[in-house]
Amino acid sequence: MDDMARIWPIIVQFGGGSILCLIGLWCGLKSNYLDMNTPEDKRLVYIIIGGFLFLLILSSIFTFWLPNLPVEAAQ
Amino acid sequence: MTDPAVEAEFVGQPIDLFVVAFYFIAVVSFGLWFGKYTKNTKDFFFGGQRFSWWLIAFSGIATTVGSYSFVKYSAVGFKYGLSSTQSYMNDWFWMPILLLLWLPIIYFGKIQSVPEYFERRFGTTARHAATGLILLYLIGYVGINLYTLGQLVQSLTGLPIMAGAIGTAFIVMLYMFAGGQTSVIMTDLAQGIILLIAGLGLFAVGIYHFGGFGNFWDLLPRTHKFIFSDFAAPDDFSFIGIYGQDGLANTGAFVLMNQGMIMRFLSLRSVKEARKMAIFWILILYPVAAITVSGGGWIAAALVANGEIETTGKHAFVDAASFLLIPGVFGFILAALTAALMSTADTLVTAVSSIVLNDVYRPYVKPNATDKHYLKVARVTSTCTVFIGVLLVIVFMKQDSIYSAHGMFTAAVTPPIVSAIFLGILWKRYSTKAALATMIGGGILIGLSFNDHLNDLFLQPFSFGMGEASYKFTRSFFGLAVCGGIGIIVSLMTKPRSDEQLVGLVNGTQLQAMHAFKGGKPNRTPGKWAKVPVVVDPKLEGMNTALVPQSALDTMSAEVSDLIYVTDPRWWFGGLRSIHCNVTAVSEGDAIRISQEAFDYAHFKVDQTVSVEKIL
């Protein structure tokens, strides 16, 4: 994969996205609204991170792998 | 005024029209039936604040998929492939800010609208500015929706745009008048399920037609297989343009300033339910919805590549559906298309009505009237909003496309308010003068960027080397930059409000908001649901008092003075039969005791068992 025009979107989307996510998590932790001692709040943090990774994996699959199938068409 | 496509003919069979007519009658009847649950303004605007997460999630998806999505994303999917989904994949990143900051502020602060937040955070002048801008945004959006509805009806039946807009507006008006938010939520639940079935069904039928996903995939051009478009090409569909317009400005607006969605969040029974709803909605339903609205366009592209049909982007969904589906089923798809549009229109109309009543009529026209009077005004306002929306259809008919009209409108209105809310909730230093400067100064500069002589000067630096066709997308970068810049500079030069004035309105004060919401120290100890019989106690008065047996309190880890939620245990009611109460004392016996008024409001039955949950 040498087409940077297709890679930059992932960098921007998930780079910018990680900043927004970190701002939100920081707000929750700084205010003590997010209580990491309660299972419910801890689960929420895991889900936020898991959702981020899920979208990153999905985007990568449809950028680096599936567009190159079938191989003969990609070539 | 000419109507260039008026000669369009109906592409289906008579049975399809019968299915659509049956659907319209069913939606109106459904909405009218749930009108019986609307007894006050809290019910009319917030559905009594009692619903379960799944109900709001499905009804919310009908709202967000609604407006122009099927028409727009099928066309984009046909032309560009899977990258049509990128608008649906960038909402998750806003979730932490929504769930951990904005939601506790509005829910625990009992803030009913964005202008109300502006008044509490910045003062009355800011509220006026926000009310004006948001009403402009929402009423314009109602007009766009009705215009899209009219276009759709025209393309399907050949009727003039105005006839379709008026007809569907009348249907929306009927059930909204009866039941407000409760009817909107319940009809949107049905419409959400129908449109998901229709969109996914068409995609599945298409895959079956090609003999499997592999064959479908092989037919698509390689450029159609990427989830993102090229970074800075083409000008009118580049990734960076879509990211700026949708991922930042529109999603920010959707999360922070969309009155319709704020009302949906406030109609949930608790913040915990709001978290569940938002997670399921954005992480599960949004990707599914992306396939739902785009799938017809992808299938149409594969059918064209296979030499089976000829179509254009605008007609891709309808042409693919009419080619693949038998009469009657095609009618169901048409019903789903109108469902998508109606379910957005009804939410917007409720939102306008809420702002007009709560931010204009109640504080300035008639402050101390009865709730019954306000309910009447809310219904009249909803009806008037629909009429104004229909009049706006004439304006939007002059635009060359829905996409550009929508883009221009949101680009001009959203960045000032999104920036003001974003800085307002995050930064204590952000002052009243800064908020006003953000909205007024930012709005003026964005307005100037539409001028042909200034747009290059303003927008070229934010357009990543693209041409003028990219401006309607990249204008959001300019808007956010100037609004944010003005807000920060003016804040640093002016005096912020005191900490006491900011309690519950800014980051760091969420727990204080929670405390004020309950009227005491929040009980955050994890507990379980309790199941107990409910009985009427004739000595109790008012809607919000309950006597609860000690065993139930122990199960919930609750105490006297805690806020609890009492509901019919059958999950499929989704909270429709329920009520919030404060535990005023421990009851004798094994039943929870509430007043006759509360019992009637919650629609409980004599001798029934209820589920009880501690909220705080």
Side-chain angles (χ1 to χ4, degrees), chain A residues 3-62:
Chain A
D3 190 353
M4 284 305 290
R6 299 286 185 178
I7 297 173
W8 273 114
I10 292 185
I11 296 169
V12 172
Q13 173 116 326
F14 289 90
S18 65
I19 293 170
L20 283 172
C21 282
L22 287 171
I23 290 172
L25 287 169
W26 173 78
C27 289
L29 290 167
K30 182 175 179 282
S31 62
N32 290 324
Y33 177 65
L34 196 58
D35 180 1
M36 291 304 281
N37 293 318
T38 61
E40 190 185 312
D41 284 6
K42 200 184 279 185
R43 193 161 50 238
L44 178 65
V45 173
Y46 292 152
I47 289 172
I48 287 170
I49 296 167
F52 185 95
L53 294 175
F54 165 71
L55 291 172
L56 178 59
I57 291 167
L58 194 67
S59 300
S60 299
I61 288 172
F62 280 96

Side-chain angles (χ1 to χ4, degrees), chain B residues 171-250:
Chain B
I171 290 168
V172 168
M173 194 174 71
L174 263 183
Y175 68 78
M176 276 201 51
F177 189 88
Q181 183 74 290
T182 303
S183 290
V184 167
I185 287 169
M186 300 313 286
T187 51
D188 283 10
L189 169 71
Q191 303 197 85
I193 292 169
I194 284 170
L195 69 88
L196 286 178
I197 291 172
L200 293 177
L202 176 62
F203 185 64
V205 168
I207 298 296
Y208 178 78
H209 173 80
F210 294 119
F213 186 83
N215 293 340
F216 159 74
W217 194 250
D218 292 350
L219 281 169
L220 286 180
R222 183 167 182 266
T223 51
H224 275 50
K225 296 177 180 175
F226 289 94
I227 201 164
F228 295 116
S229 48
D230 267 11
F231 183 75
D235 285 5
D236 61 351
F237 194 67
S238 66
F239 163 79
I240 196 66
I242 300 289
Y243 180 74
Q245 187 203 43
D246 191 89
L248 295 179
N250 287 0

Side-chain angles (χ1 to χ4, degrees), chain B residues 415-613:
Chain B
I417 298 190
V418 171
S419 302
I421 300 174
F422 187 77
L423 290 169
I425 57 176
L426 269 174
W427 193 27
K428 284 184 179 178
R429 188 78 182 75
Y430 189 57
S431 66
T432 298
K433 285 178 181 167
L436 287 170
T438 303
M439 286 191 285
I440 297 168
I444 290 171
L445 284 171
I446 296 168
L448 288 173
S449 76
F450 285 102
N451 183 290
D452 289 341
H453 303 293
L454 294 172
N455 59 4
D456 280 340
L457 176 69
F458 284 178
L459 303 178
Q460 190 57 47
F462 295 91
S463 294
F464 295 85
M466 292 183 286
E468 201 172 328
S470 72
Y471 290 171
K472 63 185 173 188
F473 300 96
T474 53
R475 182 174 280 108
S476 53
F477 284 119
F478 169 74
L480 292 171
V482 295
C483 291
I486 290 170
I488 291 168
I489 291 167
V490 177
S491 285
L492 295 173
M493 296 164 63
T494 52
K495 191 181 169 188
R497 300 192 113 191
S498 66
D499 283 357
E500 291 75 29
Q501 290 176 301
L502 299 179
V503 169
L505 300 169
V506 70
N507 181 40
T509 63
Q510 292 96 313
L511 287 181
Q512 288 161 282
M514 200 189 266
H515 196 285
F517 177 79
K518 186 186 170 186
K521 191 183 175 192
N523 179 353
R524 302 177 80 187
T525 313
K528 294 177 182 170
W529 283 85
K531 271 195 174 183
V532 288
V534 60
V535 294
V536 172
D537 189 329
K539 292 177 196 164
L540 291 177
E541 288 182 352
M543 294 275 277
N544 305 113
T545 53
L547 309 181
V548 182
Q550 186 61 51
S551 58
L553 290 177
D554 293 341
T555 305
M556 294 187 289
S557 299
E559 299 164 0
V560 172
S561 85
D562 281 354
L563 178 65
I564 58 168
Y565 172 75
V566 188
T567 181
D568 189 300
R570 290 168 288 186
W571 69 268
W572 60 87
F573 276 109
L576 198 59
R577 295 181 174 181
S578 64
I579 192 165
H580 287 84
C581 294
N582 281 103
V583 183
T584 49
V586 179
S587 68
E588 294 175 3
D590 63 349
I592 181 170
R593 308 176 79 83
I594 59 175
S595 69
Q596 182 69 54
E597 190 185 354
F599 190 88
D600 293 341
Y601 177 82
H603 291 83
F604 291 146
K605 305 289 181 198
V606 176
D607 294 332
Q608 92 161 90
T609 298
V610 291
S611 295
V612 191
E613 180 190 31

Side-chain angles (χ1 to χ4, degrees), chain B residues 187-493:
Chain B
T187 51
D188 283 10
L189 169 71
Q191 303 197 85
I193 292 169
I194 284 170
L195 69 88
L196 286 178
I197 291 172
L200 293 177
L202 176 62
F203 185 64
V205 168
I207 298 296
Y208 178 78
H209 173 80
F210 294 119
F213 186 83
N215 293 340
F216 159 74
W217 194 250
D218 292 350
L219 281 169
L220 286 180
R222 183 167 182 266
T223 51
H224 275 50
K225 296 177 180 175
F226 289 94
I227 201 164
F228 295 116
S229 48
D230 267 11
F231 183 75
D235 285 5
D236 61 351
F237 194 67
S238 66
F239 163 79
I240 196 66
I242 300 289
Y243 180 74
Q245 187 203 43
D246 191 89
L248 295 179
N250 287 0
T251 305
F254 178 70
V255 167
L256 299 176
M257 67 168 268
N258 186 315
Q259 178 66 17
M261 297 324 297
I262 286 174
M263 290 166 76
R264 288 296 166 87
F265 278 114
L266 293 178
S267 64
L268 285 153
R269 68 171 184 245
S270 66
V271 167
K272 197 166 112 181
E273 288 294 291
R275 285 182 181 182
K276 285 185 197 169
M277 176 269 192
I279 289 165
F280 182 73
W281 189 28
I282 302 297
L283 202 56
I284 309 293
L285 287 182
Y286 254 43
V288 172
I291 299 170
T292 301
V293 295
S294 300
W298 306 337
I299 294 294
L303 285 170
V304 169
N306 214 25
E308 295 182 83
I309 64 168
E310 286 183 12
T311 186
T312 60
K314 189 179 173 186
H315 300 106
F317 185 88
V318 172
D319 286 344
S322 62
F323 177 78
L324 289 169
L325 302 176
I326 59 172
V329 177
F330 179 57
F332 177 76
I333 297 286
L334 302 187
L337 280 174
T338 44
L341 293 154
M342 283 200 303
S343 57
T344 302
D346 59 21
T347 301
L348 292 167
V349 173
T350 324
V352 172
S353 176
S354 167
I355 290 182
V356 170
L357 180 72
N358 294 316
D359 297 298
V360 180
Y361 190 85
R362 201 193 297 256
Y364 302 112
V365 180
K366 203 163 185 179
N368 298 311
T370 62
D371 193 71
K372 196 176 173 186
H373 173 79
Y374 289 135
L375 182 60
K376 194 174 165 186
V377 173
R379 289 190 159 122
V380 172
T381 310
S382 299
T383 308
C384 291
T385 306
V386 173
F387 278 120
I388 294 170
V390 169
L391 292 176
L392 279 175
V393 172
I394 298 166
V395 176
F396 287 114
M397 281 169 73
K398 293 181 180 175
Q399 296 288 339
D400 60 348
S401 80
I402 305 162
Y403 201 89
S404 64
H406 180 253
M408 190 173 87
F409 191 75
T410 52
V413 175
T414 54
I417 298 190
V418 171
S419 302
I421 300 174
F422 187 77
L423 290 169
I425 57 176
L426 269 174
W427 193 27
K428 284 184 179 178
R429 188 78 182 75
Y430 189 57
S431 66
T432 298
K433 285 178 181 167
L436 287 170
T438 303
M439 286 191 285
I440 297 168
I444 290 171
L445 284 171
I446 296 168
L448 288 173
S449 76
F450 285 102
N451 183 290
D452 289 341
H453 303 293
L454 294 172
N455 59 4
D456 280 340
L457 176 69
F458 284 178
L459 303 178
Q460 190 57 47
F462 295 91
S463 294
F464 295 85
M466 292 183 286
E468 201 172 328
S470 72
Y471 290 171
K472 63 185 173 188
F473 300 96
T474 53
R475 182 174 280 108
S476 53
F477 284 119
F478 169 74
L480 292 171
V482 295
C483 291
I486 290 170
I488 291 168
I489 291 167
V490 177
S491 285
L492 295 173
M493 296 164 63

